Structures are given as C-alpha cells and as structure tokens.
C-alpha cells in the first residue's frame, strides 16, 4: 500500500473510517501546508517498511467534519488506527523514527508485525 500522495477526492464519514478493520493511518493536512509537505518524505520512508498499513490522506479545513471528529487542530496530524480504534497520534512529526514507532503499534497483530522483514 505505502504512501498515498494524493488527498482523497471526498471526505469519508467518521463511521466509514471507524468501520475499517485493517491497520490504517489517516493523515489530515492541506496540499499547500509547509509542515505537511516536509512530513511527506518521512512518512514515505516509514510506510515503506509497513506495506500492510493503509494510508488515507484527507484534506482538512473549515467545514470539514472528519478532522473535527478527531479533534485535529494542527497539520499534519497522523491518526493511527487498528480495528477502528486509535492506537497512536502524531502532530507535525519531524523524524521518521516516531512514525515508525506509531506504525509498529498499529501493525501489530497477535504480537507480530504485519511484514516479515520488519526489524
């Protein structure tokens, strides 16, 4: 799956996100946001080690309900979900190690990472 470089064309509902059972990271931001742009290489690097984690990129802003339902206040905000429950959150990440750690907690199933080559 890896990095999704394109913001979703529409905003899914909170219930649609909550119903996803696979491990996911929901990224809230905006295409013009400097912090969001700076986080992309870090996110791409971290997601490369977790191909089983789905990445959903949501453009946030005024009138956008999904971001408010997750109490997003700064961009980018990364919400890590497993079986519909939040397991980690990062706001304006500045290093790939923090993203990898959050992905590791998201990707765990039965105490094992979702990919064989994770170390």
């Amino acid at each position: 799956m890896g990095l999704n470089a394109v913001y979703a064309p529409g905003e899914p509902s909170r219930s649609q996100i909550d119903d996803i059972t696979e491990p996911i990271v929901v990224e809230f931001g905006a295409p013009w946001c400097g912090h969001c742009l700076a986080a992309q290489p870090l996110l791409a690097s971290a997601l490369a080690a977790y191909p089983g984690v789905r990445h959903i990129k949501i453009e946030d802003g005024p009138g956008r309900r999904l971001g408010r339902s997750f109490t997003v206040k700064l961009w980018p905000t990364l919400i890590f979900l497993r079986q519909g429950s939040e397991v980690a959150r990062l706001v304006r990440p500045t290093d790939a190690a923090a993203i990898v750690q959050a992905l590791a907690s998201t990707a765990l199933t039965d105490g094992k990472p979702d990919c064989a080559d994770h170390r």
Side-chain angles (χ1 to χ4, degrees):
M1 288 178 216
L3 180 74
N4 182 1
V6 179
Y7 284 93
E11 183 180 61
S13 69
R14 176 65 188 258
S15 63
Q16 288 174 309
I17 294 294
D18 290 342
D19 288 344
I20 298 171
T21 58
E22 66 188 304
I24 62 171
V25 57
V26 181
E27 175 188 358
F28 290 95
W32 49 264
C33 168
H35 295 285
C36 301
L37 294 170
Q40 295 312 293
L42 305 173
L43 192 53
S45 173
L47 281 166
Y50 289 90
V53 177
R54 183 174 165 194
H55 176 225
I56 301 173
K57 194 173 183 110
I58 303 293
E59 186 171 353
D60 195 32
R64 302 288 182 132
R65 294 182 182 188
L66 186 60
R68 302 304 69 76
S69 75
F70 281 103
T71 64
V72 171
K73 296 183 182 189
L74 295 171
W75 301 329
T77 294
L78 307 175
I79 310 287
F80 300 82
L81 301 157
R82 184 177 58 232
Q83 297 178 351
S85 297
E86 184 174 331
V87 294
R89 176 183 294 237
L90 292 173
V91 178
R92 292 191 175 167
T94 57
D95 68 85
I99 300 170
V100 167
Q101 184 176 4
L103 284 167
S105 67
T106 304
L108 287 178
T109 55
D110 299 327
K112 297 177 183 167
D114 70 337
C115 62
D117 58 358
H118 173 69
R119 301 196 198 311

